[in-house]
Amino acid sequence: MTRDVVLIGIGAGDPNWITLEAINAINAIDVLFVVVKEDEYDEPVAFRRELMATHRRPDQPPVRVVELQDPPRPWRSTPDYPAAVKLWRQQRFEQWGAAIDEAVADGETGGFLVWGDPSLYESTLAIVERIAEAAVERPLVVRVIPGISCVLALAARHRIPLNRQGKAVQISPARLLANGVPPEVDDVVVMLDGKQTFAHIDPTNLEIYWGAYLGTPDEILLSGPLAEVRDEVARVRAEAAERKGWMFDTYLLRRVAG
């Protein structure tokens, strides 16, 4: 018999942003793997617990919970970013592989609740796929259930189309935009901007659509010409991060005619 691992996209923060397929998967898993990060925040953890309590039917047996203590994230201070990420992923691969092998018996299903969508800026899928490829003696089948990503939530909350007619949309980590938006790019969704890159690049002919804590009661939205609102975005972002102790945000930069 095979073993299954299902990655369940749980959306960007609104408890209503979970699909019927995801609810069915929550009720089908035997083991729930919970990744406990070194700087984990209470609210995202509580959100996952709320989803399990809300959607796990009382006629189902209690799910077994396995906590995975996440390795430190050294790339935040190292000059060799690719090497640091490679080491971190290898450590996750070894730890998770051992945990899945021990906890998920033949015929059982393990699950991960993945913030947003498992296929967008999320390492969980790549690591679990590696584990499945290595599981030769005890086969492991990986399934992915999509969720509402912060990218789609951002566009919906600002009531804008993500793409414009005849134009492409790029999704990029902020570090690739340190020298500004490339001239051939008209629309770019920026992820992982811990250094507020938007506040330091050339704002000429750029608009920003920024959102934080999307889908939660603390949701914040700001938009406008980048040159006019970037200082306000930086201030509001810093105040919110100080108040809550954590920050989940993303934004779209859109080029307009000069």
Side-chain angles (χ1 to χ4, degrees):
M1 298 179 66
T2 61
R3 301 170 298 153
D4 288 356
V5 171
V6 57
L7 310 186
I8 306 169
I10 58 173
D14 189 326
N16 292 313
W17 292 347
I18 184 168
T19 66
L20 294 176
E21 185 181 16
I23 293 173
N24 289 336
I26 284 174
N27 282 280
I29 60 176
D30 303 289
V31 183
L32 175 65
F33 294 97
V34 179
V35 180
V36 181
K37 300 178 182 179
E38 58 179 331
D39 55 354
E40 188 61 280
Y41 319 113
D42 291 339
E43 288 179 76
V45 173
F47 179 73
R48 289 174 171 87
R49 290 173 179 162
E50 177 186 352
L51 288 181
M52 289 298 299
T54 300
H55 297 297
R56 181 81 173 185
R57 294 192 303 269
D59 62 328
Q60 295 295 329
V63 68
R64 305 195 305 275
V65 178
V66 175
E67 290 192 353
L68 303 170
Q69 186 64 51
D70 214 26
R73 302 182 174 201
W75 61 80
R76 293 173 176 173
S77 57
T78 182
D80 194 342
Y81 179 87
V85 172
K86 183 178 180 180
L87 173 61
W88 177 75
R89 288 197 173 198
Q90 179 62 28
Q91 291 172 331
R92 271 189 158 193
F93 166 74
E94 294 172 358
Q95 180 198 46
W96 294 12
I100 290 172
D101 193 57
E102 179 179 350
V104 182
D106 293 346
E108 289 191 329
T109 299
F112 289 79
L113 300 183
V114 181
W115 198 264
D117 183 275
S119 301
L120 182 63
Y121 280 83
E122 241 298 332
S123 64
T124 304
L125 177 55
I127 294 168
V128 172
E129 282 285 8
R130 278 190 63 196
I131 294 170
E133 291 171 1
V136 177
E137 296 183 2
R138 300 178 62 206
L140 194 66
V141 176
V142 179
R143 294 188 294 119
V144 178
I145 296 176
I148 295 178
S149 71
C150 64
V151 176
L152 297 179
L154 179 74
R157 284 304 201 235
H158 279 288
R159 303 186 304 279
I160 58 172
L162 190 60
N163 67 296
R164 291 183 287 176
Q165 184 176 0
K167 295 182 180 293
V169 177
Q170 184 177 103
I171 302 176
S172 174
R175 61 189 178 85
L176 298 184
L177 301 179
N179 296 321
V181 178
E184 69 276 8
V185 175
D186 291 316
D187 296 273
V188 56
V189 176
V190 185
M191 312 284 283
L192 309 175
D193 191 4
K195 297 182 179 179
Q196 294 84 69
T197 303
F198 63 84
H200 308 293
I201 62 175
D202 182 2
T204 303
N205 296 334
L206 290 176
E207 293 178 335
I208 186 171
Y209 295 86
W210 176 80
Y213 313 117
L214 293 165
T216 75
D218 296 303
E219 179 178 277
I220 311 171
L221 300 172
L222 290 170
S223 64
L226 181 59
E228 297 177 15
V229 302
R230 60 182 181 179
D231 290 344
E232 181 184 6
V233 172
R235 176 186 61 79
V236 170
R237 186 186 191 280
E239 290 176 353
E242 175 67 22
R243 181 177 67 254
K244 291 181 65 65
W246 58 283
M247 169 58 62
F248 283 171
D249 67 334
T250 190
Y251 56 89
L252 168 72
L253 293 177
R254 173 156 286 174
R255 196 181 304 279
V256 296

